[in-house]
Amino acid sequence: MSEQTHGRRHDEGEDVPPPEAPAEKSQTASDDFDELLDEIDSVLESNAEEFVRSFVQKGGQ
Amino acid sequence: MPEPEQVTPTVLGLETEYGILLADQACASPVQDGLDALHPMHLSNAVIRTYGELVRQHSTGWDYQTESPLNDQRGFEVPRGKALADQLTDVENGLANLVLTNGARLYVDHAHPEYATPEVTGPRDAVLWDRAGDLVMLQGARAASRLLGRQVRLYKNNTDGKGASYGTHENYLLSRSTPFHRVVVQLTPFLVSRGVLVGAGRVGRGQSSELPGFQITQRADFFEAEVGLETTVNRPIVNTRDEPHADASRHRRLHVITGDANQSEYATWLKVGTASLVLRLVESGGWRDVPALVDPVRAMHVLSHDPSLRATVALEDGRELTALDLQHRVLSAVREHLARHGAGPEDEEVVAAWQQVLDDLAVDPARCADRLDWVAKQQLVERYRERDGLGWDAPKLALLDLQYADIDPERSLYHALRRAGRVRTLLDDAEVERARTEPPTDTRAFFRGRCMSRFADQVVAASWDSVIFQLDRHRSWVRLPMADPLRGTRAAVGDLLDRAGDAAELLDLLGS
């Protein structure tokens, strides 16, 4: 049972930064974190409510 | 500084059940639409089988001869008729099972794909082969996605937030002579309070996230007993399964089921490193003044529910301690033990890192965002709450929690933090890739793994403590027991494995 919609664009990986993205960032600026949130926005499942609802697991150990 | 004693290395391993989800709504064909009806057990099976095809490996039999899931450390055995069906893990179920060339086991357990690391002898190696498992799963999920035409996604987490939990277990080999009661009493305060180091963070409180808010661990709410044999219901803080996968007259295997699945390499390292040290302390006679909690199960919940780390739990002597107090007490006992008995280089590193994390947490938990999953996740969630003005019941926050643990670096929020240089790492990608196919060299996993890379066609089954060969079609099976986890190393058999042209020659060389 999985009805969530997902932005196809992410499947191709274009919106995803290359793995070797520069790690040099100033630790203090909260701008950095906001930039990161913007980046995360672009990879988040597009319909949060549907996605969370569909995430149903069977129990395990 | 006293001379280090001749300490037998701790043999340990990790096992992880991954959450599994079939994504994509817009399907190209009715067949692909129909996949929604597939039981997660079969979806998990598809991941394992396609990984097997990817590495050109057939499903391997599993040798259940020495498995005893119903034996209890307390000295009795549950009658099979009284056991729950999912405790009967020693029965062939027709699902895929692969013994990998790195010595790990990849299989379907319940309704999840599971990866159990090869046996290793130290925390850093545990992290390495654990991360290798993530890579195995990633490749399996991608291959299964291509095969099915739908995206199969895997999550290294421990709950769906709707009442289901699945485990990440640690296994430590102990001496049989250590009284199990001592293990229970002395390990409990450590396990109850270690969430502050090893929690993966969770949006929602209660087994079904019925209460809003953030808590430190994924697993705490699913623990309901202090000691017991079960792992899927009424979960106990100290699990009593007595199935050593080794000579039972000399060893126990402690099956620790309370842990969270960590993304942070540092957190996994701390989890395994601290537990190994505490167990070594317990094995050598233990510590005095062990804090006796009035209600360990409740304490575990209370401490997990308080990310401010100010909550206290009651001891039987009337004192009230925080999680950090409890951890400090365990740490100072470990320090004393190491001062008396000697410490190896990695022991020293673990103790220093443990101390630093406790100090940083006491000043401001945010200081540990580069090392601890729960802090990193909490920061992310809080920042979103602030920016978007979200309440704790906002689906987006639950989504952040789930997607933090997506194992695909393209979607994983942990990996987004990692790429941004915000988390401390211990391993580079090349060594993880190598560990995906190469076994550790210092345990019997080396022998098992090499048998799979050299003679897979002649291996009909294997297990943690055996390999069964069929040398050719006309000969019957030969079972080679491997009761000692520290035999079968590269130093002992590497040369023989290199010289043998096939399994028959290998057995001749081994003198069987």
Side-chain angles (χ1 to χ4, degrees):
Chain A
M1 202 195 73
S2 141
E3 299 176 2
Q4 65 276 17
T5 50
H6 302 287
R8 286 280 178 184
R9 64 188 192 282
H10 305 315
D11 302 342
E12 312 301 324
E14 305 124 80
D15 287 357
V16 176
E20 304 303 331
E24 290 303 310
K25 292 203 173 185
S26 106
Q27 292 296 309
T28 50
S30 63
D31 289 356
D32 275 0
F33 213 111
D34 290 336
E35 225 171 84
L36 181 64
L37 291 202
D38 292 342
E39 181 200 318
I40 287 175
D41 280 335
S42 73
V43 297
L44 274 185
E45 306 287 347
S46 51
N47 188 334
E49 193 169 356
E50 292 261 5
F51 183 84
V52 170
R53 191 185 308 139
S54 75
F55 192 89
V56 180
Q57 300 291 308
K58 301 270 183 200
Q61 297 205 27
Chain B
M1 192 76 188
E3 283 295 304
E5 287 172 9
Q6 195 60 36
V7 186
T8 313
T10 313
V11 177
L12 60 111
L14 297 172
E15 38 183 304
T16 304
E17 297 176 316
Y18 291 73
I20 186 164
L21 186 75
L22 190 64
D24 298 337
Q25 180 187 43
C27 297
S29 73
V31 175
Q32 288 171 5
D33 264 334
L35 292 172
D36 286 319
L38 208 59
H39 191 281
M41 183 187 289
H42 299 297
L43 196 58
S44 303
N45 200 33
V47 172
I48 309 300
R49 280 194 191 282
T50 45
Y51 182 78
E53 283 165 23
L54 204 63
V55 296
R56 298 196 177 81
Q57 252 195 278
H58 300 295
S59 198
T60 326
W62 190 254
D63 175 16
Y64 290 102
Q65 185 171 316
T66 58
E67 301 227 338
S68 46
L70 303 180
N71 278 11
D72 196 296
Q73 300 267 21
R74 292 166 294 185
F76 53 84
E77 185 177 5
V78 174
R80 292 190 85 83
K82 285 195 176 171
L84 296 166
D86 56 9
Q87 279 180 294
L88 299 173
T89 54
D90 56 345
V91 179
E92 281 285 1
N93 52 20
L95 295 168
N97 176 70
L98 294 176
V99 177
L100 303 180
T101 56
N102 71 357
R105 183 186 184 193
L106 180 67
Y107 65 119
V108 181
D109 198 8
H110 304 279
H112 302 272
E114 175 159 339
Y115 170 89
T117 69
E119 303 91 326
V120 297
T121 57
R124 191 181 183 283
D125 280 356
V127 181
L128 177 56
W129 272 278
D130 178 65
R131 286 261 284 119
D134 294 345
L135 199 53
V136 165
M137 288 292 182
L138 175 63
Q139 295 192 2
R142 284 180 172 171
S145 300
R146 285 193 294 274
L147 179 77
L148 299 175
R150 299 274 305 267
Q151 283 201 21
V152 181
R153 298 192 178 170
L154 298 181
Y155 296 82
K156 197 181 188 184
N157 62 4
N158 303 101
T159 181
D160 63 359
K162 300 177 181 68
S165 183
Y166 31 101
T168 303
H169 298 173
E170 299 141 71
N171 298 290
Y172 302 94
L173 196 72
L174 303 182
S175 162
R176 176 64 56 177
S177 62
T178 305
F180 193 67
H181 179 69
R182 189 202 297 161
V183 176
V184 174
V185 170
Q186 304 212 346
L187 202 59
T188 296
F190 170 70
L191 292 179
V192 164
S193 59
R194 74 170 179 164
V196 298
L197 306 177
V198 305
R202 177 177 169 199
V203 173
R205 297 174 184 181
Q207 293 191 357
S208 305
S209 298
E210 54 272 22
L211 300 169
F214 187 87
Q215 65 169 311
I216 294 173
T217 72
Q218 295 258 307
R219 283 282 268 182
D221 289 342
F222 296 92
F223 284 80
E224 298 170 330
E226 289 177 39
V227 187
L229 187 55
E230 296 88 349
T231 54
T232 57
V233 293
N234 197 28
R235 293 183 183 87
I237 296 171
V238 178
N239 182 259
T240 56
R241 182 189 287 197
D242 191 1
E243 188 182 65
H245 299 312
D247 180 350
S249 67
R250 294 173 53 214
H251 296 294
R252 305 175 185 282
R253 173 183 59 126
L254 184 69
H255 195 48
V256 175
I257 67 170
T258 58
D260 281 2
N262 292 108
Q263 312 295 320
S264 161
E265 293 168 357
Y266 203 91
T268 303
W269 179 70
L270 272 179
K271 174 169 69 182
V272 172
T274 56
S276 298
L277 289 176
V278 176
L279 287 168
R280 213 191 297 161
L281 162 69
V282 171
E283 290 226 273
S284 78
W287 47 311
R288 277 180 292 178
D289 308 323
V290 176
L293 294 157
V294 171
D295 186 346
V297 174
R298 208 181 104 72
M300 205 168 163
H301 300 177
V302 167
L303 297 177
S304 179
H305 290 186
D306 177 37
S308 79
L309 308 181
R310 285 192 288 265
T312 60
V313 292
L315 303 192
E316 282 179 351
D317 63 12
R319 281 180 297 168
E320 292 272 338
L321 297 184
T322 64
L324 293 180
D325 292 335
L326 285 163
Q327 283 291 307
H328 273 299
R329 275 169 173 69
V330 184
L331 173 55
S332 68
V334 164
R335 269 189 198 289
E336 268 175 43
H337 170 75
L338 293 178
R340 256 179 308 170
H341 299 270
E346 199 175 8
D347 299 336
E348 306 270 17
E349 282 177 50
V350 170
V351 165
W354 189 358
Q355 179 76 57
Q356 188 65 52
V357 165
L358 294 182
D359 291 347
D360 287 346
L361 286 173
V363 177
D364 179 5
R367 287 190 174 195
C368 294
D370 61 341
R371 284 158 286 168
L372 306 184
D373 282 315
W374 73 269
V375 180
K377 189 186 281 180
Q378 187 189 19
Q379 247 181 23
L380 199 59
V381 168
E382 289 289 1
R383 199 57 78 99
Y384 261 96
R385 260 165 55 78
E386 210 173 292
R387 192 194 69 174
D388 299 354
L390 300 171
W392 277 111
D393 54 350
K396 193 162 187 178
L397 301 186
L399 172 62
L400 292 169
D401 186 356
L402 292 173
Q403 208 169 328
Y404 183 86
D406 190 321
I407 64 159
D408 194 321
E410 291 187 3
R411 288 185 302 269
S412 158
L413 305 191
Y414 162 75
H415 278 276
L417 293 172
R418 186 177 168 126
R419 278 192 300 271
R422 289 181 166 271
V423 296
R424 266 195 232 181
T425 58
L426 300 179
L427 307 167
D428 64 56
D429 291 349
E431 62 185 325
V432 176
E433 168 56 24
R434 208 158 45 240
R436 185 176 65 82
T437 53
E438 286 289 313
T441 58
D442 57 353
T443 67
R444 66 187 171 194
F446 179 80
F447 182 81
R448 181 188 315 118
R450 276 290 183 271
C451 283
M452 296 315 297
S453 57
R454 296 286 317 283
F455 316 120
D457 290 346
Q458 292 175 291
V459 175
V460 288
S463 71
W464 299 116
D465 54 7
S466 70
V467 178
I468 299 180
F469 300 97
Q470 183 165 31
L471 301 177
D472 62 54
R473 272 183 304 148
H474 309 292
R475 280 191 271 182
S476 55
W477 296 1
V478 180
R479 183 176 188 277
L480 190 68
M482 301 189 299
D484 188 340
L486 293 171
R487 292 181 67 179
T489 61
R490 185 171 66 189
V493 297
D495 178 50
L496 301 185
L497 280 156
D498 288 343
R499 272 159 51 204
D502 67 5
E505 281 182 35
L506 176 66
L507 290 176
D508 283 344
L509 288 168
L510 287 168
S512 303

